[in-house]
Amino acid sequence: MKYNKETFLVIGLSKSGISASKLLISHGAKVFLYDQSDSPRVAVAVNELSAIGAVRIKQEELEETMQKSCAIVISPGVPIDHPVALRANELKKRVLGELELGYLFLKAPVVAVTGTNGKTTTVSMIEFVLKNAGVRASALGNVGIPLSSAAEKFPSNGIAVVEVSSFQLETVHSFTPHIGVLLNLTEDHLNRHYNMKIYAHLKQKLFQNMRESEFAVLNDSCSLSHEIVKKCKAQPVWFSTEREVNGAYVQGKDIFYMGSRLFSVEELALKQKHNVENALATIAVCKLLGVETEVLRRSLAKFRGAKHRLEVVCTKKGINYVNDSKATNPDATLSAVKCMKKPTVLLLGGQEKGYSYRALFKNLKTSPVRYCVFYGENRESLMREAVQENFLTYSVVENLRQAVYVGQMVAKEGETVLLSPASASFDEFDGYEQRGNAFVRYVTEGKEKGNAHNKDARKNEAKE
């Protein structure tokens, strides 16, 4: 694709849209911007990009701009069935995402990680191990740093470790990792993808361009992994906590790779089952890249986790606060709950994603969680489904700040207040990172500055 003097329309001014715009402008392209939002964040982005030559357009200018554009670049937050994307297809204009655009400029090999849960932790873990092995590696993509912001200057002898979401996979065409990783597949994002069949199809797209010289690292217990093997040309390497496989696995109390013992599970810093699976995926990737066992052992003994994933914030007045803002679906939240050792007050809520929470509440009744605080856009849905499962110790409040305040009031000395929302963050925040940072700020700043007895807080005093 040519860029100099070509015209592009960028839809959505999130981190990805901003990054894609800057990359295109740096190559002499004419860039038009469109975002329906008039938020302060978007205004700042428009001012920044306008200063280097971009032009923001209004809704009534979309048709004319699409007609003269050679391609439409959409941010991950913009679905492929958005009216603009559909119209672009009708006009036979190329529609690509920021990930695909960044990949076109990247000269280094890619390790790409997808799955419903554990992506950020695994990408961070792989990056940590590779850096300890002396490799020039960077965690990019959905982990927080857009690929297009780093691709052009990324060293060709480095390794780009890229977290890839189903949103990004909607618009990949040529993206081809050297090693592709599928961690798992459970219900998520059904408000956007409609059903599990479409969601699974998108996850498979990570592997669609891979060749015999490349590797697919797959979870043996995930049924989609076995479907991918039938269609993918890449060499499969498996990981499993349940049985011996051709790859990384647990046998007894030890971790093995291709039949050889590496070290004990007890040597891992993160020993929970889901994190052992993340470690096995990491081991498979790093072994394929030639990392020595001792480097793996030392690195995984030190790795304490990714930011916003079971991140211990502080202990205040004897109450422990844990930030698990990255948990945006019930399975991720349940994994976090299983890690709790003490009675827990759980903060749940955010933007609706189109799935049921009943299984979550059913499991919470036999977990350390003794109380929930529901907040955000889906607080009423959470309350209804909790009642349906007879989980009756909860409060309902409007926003996260109020949820933190109620959590502080309800929790007792020695207990934990856990933010693990099981929901998207976009009702109140720009992403899970902003939500997690807000939680940390609310916890550390003291009491809520608003009305402690907000009329929207309806405490249910019924006992289980």
Side-chain angles (χ1 to χ4, degrees):
M1 180 183 290
K2 296 180 180 179
Y3 304 92
N4 186 35
K5 297 182 180 179
E6 291 284 3
T7 298
F8 291 81
L9 173 60
V10 176
I11 309 293
L13 293 179
S14 61
K15 283 183 185 177
S16 296
I18 295 168
S19 176
S21 299
K22 288 180 177 179
L23 179 59
L24 290 167
I25 291 169
S26 72
H27 282 266
K30 180 66 176 176
V31 174
F32 290 92
L33 313 170
Y34 178 72
D35 195 305
Q36 293 172 303
S37 173
D38 289 318
S39 69
R41 175 187 58 78
V42 170
V44 169
V46 169
N47 289 337
E48 181 183 4
L49 295 172
S50 297
I52 58 175
V55 177
R56 187 181 190 181
I57 62 169
K58 299 177 181 178
Q59 186 171 3
E60 55 266 28
E61 299 173 283
L62 273 171
E63 178 68 22
E64 179 186 352
T65 306
M66 280 193 283
Q67 293 274 5
K68 64 184 180 184
S69 297
C70 71
I72 316 297
V73 181
I74 61 177
S75 297
V78 179
I80 198 67
D81 59 356
H82 187 281
V84 176
L86 293 175
R87 179 57 181 154
N89 283 321
E90 289 176 359
L91 295 171
K92 300 190 184 307
K93 300 292 183 178
R94 185 173 183 185
V95 177
L96 67 157
E98 174 275 328
L99 180 76
E100 176 77 6
L101 178 67
Y103 179 73
L104 297 175
F105 288 87
L106 186 68
K107 296 181 175 61
V110 172
V111 173
V113 179
T114 196
T116 305
N117 297 311
K119 296 186 295 296
T120 299
T121 297
T122 304
V123 163
S124 302
M125 195 181 284
I126 293 170
E127 178 196 38
F128 186 73
V129 173
L130 291 179
K131 283 185 173 180
N132 285 339
V135 178
R136 301 176 72 179
S138 292
L140 303 168
N142 199 54
V143 72
I145 303 173
L147 181 61
S148 60
S149 69
E152 195 170 20
K153 296 180 181 179
F154 200 87
S156 59
N157 62 343
I159 294 176
V161 188
V162 183
E163 179 182 331
V164 183
S165 72
S166 59
F167 292 4
Q168 293 170 312
L169 286 167
E170 287 181 336
T171 50
V172 298
H173 304 287
S174 62
F175 183 77
T176 309
H178 176 58
I179 301 175
V181 182
L182 176 66
L183 296 172
N184 44 59
L185 185 76
T186 58
E187 194 174 84
D188 200 8
H189 301 304
L190 299 189
N191 59 329
R192 172 151 164 174
H193 301 318
Y194 304 109
N195 57 56
M196 282 297 291
K197 184 176 181 180
I198 294 173
Y199 182 44
H201 168 72
L202 290 170
K203 292 299 186 184
Q204 290 182 81
K205 286 184 70 177
L206 181 72
F207 305 90
Q208 67 184 0
N209 299 320
M210 297 178 72
R211 301 172 290 267
E212 292 86 349
S213 58
E214 288 143 356
F215 300 92
V217 173
L218 304 166
N219 186 340
D220 181 63
S221 65
C222 176
S223 59
L224 181 62
S225 294
H226 296 277
E227 292 300 314
I228 287 171
V229 166
K230 298 175 186 177
K231 303 173 184 178
C232 177
K233 294 179 181 178
Q235 301 174 52
V237 177
W238 300 91
F239 65 92
S240 174
T241 58
E242 307 297 331
R243 67 188 187 102
E244 182 177 345
V245 292
N246 186 48
Y249 58 94
V250 173
Q251 192 171 74
K253 297 182 179 180
D254 296 319
I255 293 173
F256 289 76
Y257 181 74
M258 297 296 185
S260 298
R261 181 189 180 278
L262 302 184
F263 41 80
S264 168
V265 172
E266 285 301 310
E267 295 184 70
L268 299 174
L270 304 177
K271 301 178 183 64
Q272 304 89 355
K273 183 178 184 295
H274 64 283
N275 277 320
V276 173
E277 288 188 335
N278 296 336
L280 292 174
T282 296
I283 288 166
V285 168
C286 292
K287 276 295 184 182
L288 288 170
L289 294 172
V291 176
E292 295 180 358
T293 297
E294 181 58 21
V295 175
L296 269 166
R297 187 191 66 77
R298 284 189 283 105
S299 300
L300 295 178
K302 293 178 181 178
F303 182 79
R304 299 293 173 182
K307 193 171 174 61
H308 305 296
R309 192 71 180 102
L310 287 173
E311 178 187 9
V312 177
V313 176
C314 66
T315 300
K316 189 175 181 181
K317 296 183 179 179
I319 300 170
N320 304 306
Y321 293 89
V322 178
N323 169 22
D324 194 48
S325 181
K326 187 69 172 68
T328 60
N329 60 68
D331 282 314
T333 294
L334 192 56
S335 292
V337 167
K338 288 178 179 177
C339 297
M340 298 297 104
K341 304 299 183 186
K342 300 178 180 179
T344 298
V345 176
L346 175 62
L347 311 187
L348 284 171
Q351 187 181 59
E352 193 66 72
K353 294 179 77 177
Y355 40 60
S356 172
Y357 296 93
R358 290 190 63 175
L360 173 63
F361 289 115
K362 182 177 181 179
N363 282 285
L364 289 185
K365 290 192 295 183
T366 56
S367 79
V369 173
R370 67 169 186 84
Y371 199 95
C372 284
V373 184
F374 307 142
Y375 73 94
E377 179 184 283
N378 64 351
R379 58 191 184 274
E380 302 288 347
S381 298
L382 287 162
M383 180 183 67
R384 284 193 297 270
E385 297 200 49
V387 170
Q388 288 171 350
E389 285 299 325
N390 203 34
F391 186 97
L392 301 176
T393 50
Y394 62 81
S395 291
V396 183
V397 300
E398 184 176 355
N399 56 43
L400 178 59
R401 179 186 284 277
Q402 293 165 359
V404 170
Y405 178 74
V406 172
Q408 290 172 328
M409 296 301 100
V410 172
K412 300 174 184 177
E413 185 174 349
E415 296 186 344
T416 298
V417 174
L418 169 65
L419 172 68
S420 192
S423 311
S425 58
F426 301 112
D427 58 332
E428 189 179 354
F429 303 101
D430 290 337
Y432 74 85
E433 300 103 325
Q434 190 184 76
R435 175 171 61 189
N437 291 335
F439 174 73
V440 172
R441 187 168 67 252
Y442 299 155
V443 165
T444 55
E445 73 181 5
K447 293 182 179 180
E448 184 199 7
K449 297 175 183 177
N451 183 0
H453 303 287
N454 187 284
K455 62 182 179 181
D456 289 326
R458 299 185 303 282
K459 184 175 181 180
N460 187 324
E461 297 293 354
K463 297 181 179 180
E464 291 187 66

